[in-house]
Structure formats: C-alpha cells, structure tokens
Amino acid sequence: MTEETHANLYRREMDVELQYKENKDSLYVNNVLKTSINWNESFANTILNGTNTRQAVEPRKRHLRDEFSVIKKFRNNKSMDVNASFDYLYLPGKLLTLSDSVPQSLNVNTLSSLISTRFRHRVWGMYISYDAQMKYHRDDIELNDHDKVSYQQAELKLTPRMSMEKNGLRLSCSLPVYVSSYRLAGAKEHQAFVSPYVSLDYQCSGYLSLLFNYSHQKSCYGVGNCLPLAYYRSYATRIEGNGKLCFISYDNVDGKLEYSNPNIGLFFNARGSYTLINDVPLFGYRYENNIYSIVATPQKANNRQVLASAELSKAFGYGKLTMTIGADAMRHDYKAWISEQVADGYVDNYSAKFQVAFIPTLCSS
C-alpha cells in the first residue's frame, strides 16, 4: 500500500472564557465558563496505489463547559469541597470517502455532568478524606442522517482516602467503589467494582529512598470501537463495531530505588514496573479495494508489559566531569486475531547509553 498526499488545512476557531473567583481565608469560590466554536476544513489530493483520489473533511466543533468549585474551611483542620461541572460537545463532521462520492456525515452530541463533594479531617496524625461523586454521560451518534445510536453511562463513586507521614515514611491509599449503569443501543449492563490504590515512599536515609505503587482500575472500553455501525475514520479506513460493551481492567505495580550522595558525587536509580491488562477486545483486519477495515470480534485476551531501567552517574572535580551509564528494557506480550484465530505476539525493546559531560573552565562575568 503506497500513498502520496498533498493537502491544505484551514483553521477558523474562536474561544471565549468567563471567570468568577472569590478567595477568602475560610471560603474559596471559583466558576469558569468556556465556549468554543470552529469552522475548520481540509482538502487533499492523494495518489493511493497509483489512483488519484480527492479527500475532503470538515471536522466542525461546538463546545460549552462550566466548572464550579467551592472550598469551605472549618476549625481543627477540617474542610469540605464541592465541585460540579457541565460539558456539552457537538461534533458535526463530513468526510469524503473512497467508496462513495457522497460524503459521510457523522454527527455526535455529547453531554456530561459531574458533581462531587469531599470532607477532609485529621485523626492521629493521619489525613482522612471521603469523596462522593455522581457522574452522567451520554453520546448520541447519527450516521448519514438515518442510523442513530445512543450510549449512556450513570455512575456513583465513593472513595475513602488516607495519608500519613512519619519518620521518613509517607503512605497514601484509597479505595474507590463504583456502581455504574451502561446502555448501548438499547442493551443494558450494570457493574460494581473497586479500584484500590496504594503508594509507599520511604526515605531510608539521607542518601537512599524507596518508592512503591500499586493500582487496579476497571473501565468501559472506548465506545467508538463498539458501536453497531460501520463508519469511516478516514477516507480509506473503516471500523465495524458489534454493539457489545467491553470492560477491561488494569493492574499495575511499579517501584523505584534511588541513591543520591552529592558529597562523593555518586548517583544511582533503578525502576521497574509490571502491567497486566485483562479482557482486551480483539479486532480483525481486512484490506479490499484500497479500503482498510477494522472489525470487532467477540474474542478477548490478556496483555502484559514489563519495564525495567537503571542509571549510574559519577561526578568528578566538583561536577566538572560527569560520566553516566544506563540501560532500559521493555517486554510487551499481547494477542492478535489473525486468520480467524488467536495468535501470540510480543515486542522487545532494549537500549543502553553512555554519556560524558565536561566543563573545561568556569564562566565568569
């Protein structure tokens, strides 16, 4: 597949922002209203596999957003936050495709609203907070003035948090609890899950420190890949969804060891992380008549990624000469849908470096 493109892009945009702010000792109020509009468009001539093709796209956008926040402070290190936001996005777009001289019309209306509150206080040297959040999101998609699909998500989130610092040890953790309802093209799904997070930072001495993090997350896979529609993302790329909601989860563990001794000019750090992604949907691919199609399948897989890096530096002569050596390694194991079956794949990346920094003389003014 060969492609040569000559394109012109035209940008015509307008942004407006209004803000009200009040900042007192015990009360903070902030409200920001933003709106934007554009009349962008682009045109191109492309030689695709020897065939001259004209492209045209009008990715118009209308956006309105309001953000409101209040922080009230009380006695005895207590405080309460209230945050609310409203977001409306209208994306009317036209795209000239290879398969038809009539442009594809894809209009998307998105409405999001969020309200949250937090109460924070201190007990036994620990800061404890409780968050409550309600969220609503809706997408209305219309393809070529006749195919219509809607996606809705309603979510309630409760999050207790705790943090403390003592004798060089800093610990913070949270346990968000989600109760969510999803709707896509008339199908309903309800989910309840937790997403714990733990962070541990320990300053062992004046020179040595350790850091450890763990997190678990779960979310709905991008709805744009699940729509029961066949639509074009570009003039020659099309995606076909199956109308089924997918939920993927992430487990991540990472750590860091750092040694820093400026007295002898020696510095060292090592990092490592492991990420597991569960229930990743697999897509099939086909190429016909210069059109590249991405097709959703019912298959799912788990992907893993391991990262490791280390770096050692030594400074001589009060920093006049610094020598550094380092190395990085990455392993990514994944699965793909090839020839109507699940195939294993992996990507390995390795790198090493050696750096020398030398200041031959001190500068003076």
Side-chain angles (χ1 to χ4, degrees), residues 90-312:
Y90 177 47
L91 299 173
K94 290 185 179 181
L95 174 67
L96 189 64
T97 68
L98 277 179
S99 63
D100 198 339
S101 60
V102 178
Q104 171 187 272
S105 176
L106 183 65
N107 298 327
V108 181
N109 284 275
T110 297
L111 175 65
S112 298
S113 61
L114 173 70
I115 183 169
S116 64
T117 182
R118 171 189 293 186
F119 180 73
R120 184 173 183 262
H121 63 110
R122 188 172 182 178
V123 178
W124 299 330
M126 297 184 298
Y127 286 99
I128 301 176
S129 65
Y130 312 92
D131 296 9
Q133 182 182 100
M134 289 187 296
K135 177 181 177 183
Y136 176 78
H137 180 89
R138 180 186 177 98
D139 292 323
D140 290 305
I141 300 100
E142 183 180 29
L143 177 63
N144 296 332
D145 300 326
H146 57 81
D147 291 327
K148 298 181 180 180
V149 176
S150 65
Y151 166 77
Q152 298 180 60
Q153 176 186 349
E155 179 181 277
L156 174 63
K157 177 183 174 184
L158 301 174
T159 308
R161 287 188 174 91
M162 184 273 289
S163 64
M164 61 170 292
E165 182 174 354
K166 188 176 183 180
N167 299 326
L169 175 66
R170 287 181 294 186
L171 173 66
S172 63
C173 58
S174 64
L175 189 66
V177 179
Y178 296 81
V179 178
S180 304
S181 176
Y182 303 86
R183 292 187 180 186
L184 176 62
K188 299 180 182 179
E189 180 126 8
H190 303 283
Q191 292 278 329
F193 53 90
V194 296
S195 296
Y197 169 80
V198 178
S199 177
L200 178 66
D201 188 355
Y202 182 49
Q203 190 72 35
C204 307
S205 66
Y207 306 118
L208 184 65
S209 64
L210 295 170
L211 176 65
F212 169 82
N213 295 308
Y214 168 75
S215 63
H216 172 82
Q217 297 180 3
K218 187 174 181 178
S219 61
C220 182
Y221 194 75
V223 68
N225 297 315
C226 303
L227 294 175
L229 299 173
Y231 64 96
Y232 284 83
R233 283 185 169 175
S234 70
Y235 81 105
T237 303
R238 187 174 70 167
I239 184 166
E240 299 178 15
N242 55 16
K244 295 182 179 180
L245 291 168
C246 297
F247 299 88
I248 60 177
S249 64
Y250 301 82
D251 287 279
N252 177 259
V253 179
D254 65 84
K256 177 183 177 182
L257 171 67
E258 186 172 22
Y259 177 84
S260 177
N261 191 338
N263 295 326
I264 60 176
L266 185 63
F267 307 90
F268 173 78
N269 69 76
R271 301 170 181 254
S273 69
Y274 173 80
T275 303
L276 174 63
I277 309 175
N278 295 305
D279 299 324
V280 180
L282 299 183
F283 293 84
Y285 306 90
R286 67 172 182 265
Y287 181 71
E288 297 176 349
N289 300 324
N290 287 336
I291 297 176
Y292 188 68
S293 297
I294 306 171
V295 184
T297 73
Q299 304 295 325
K300 296 182 180 180
N302 298 334
N303 297 342
R304 295 175 177 84
Q305 180 173 278
V306 180
L307 299 173
S309 66
E311 185 177 278
L312 176 66

Side-chain angles (χ1 to χ4, degrees), residues 13-79:
E13 302 175 352
M14 181 180 69
D15 298 297
V16 177
E17 178 177 325
L18 297 175
Q19 183 180 31
Y20 171 79
K21 189 181 232 183
E22 182 177 347
N23 194 357
K24 298 180 179 179
D25 292 339
S26 60
L27 180 65
Y28 172 82
V29 179
N30 187 33
N31 188 71
V32 180
L33 176 65
K34 299 179 181 179
T35 183
S36 64
I37 187 172
N38 72 55
W39 302 268
N40 295 334
E41 56 187 349
S42 61
F43 305 93
N45 285 318
T46 296
I47 300 177
L48 179 63
N49 292 336
T51 302
N52 187 30
T53 303
R54 177 170 171 77
Q55 299 178 55
V57 61
E58 297 178 4
R60 305 297 169 87
K61 180 181 179 181
R62 312 289 186 266
H63 190 200
L64 177 65
R65 180 174 179 83
D66 186 76
E67 298 176 335
F68 176 77
S69 62
V70 176
I71 302 176
K72 177 64 176 177
K73 295 181 180 179
F74 304 98
R75 297 179 180 179
N76 302 323
N77 293 315
K78 296 180 181 180
S79 64

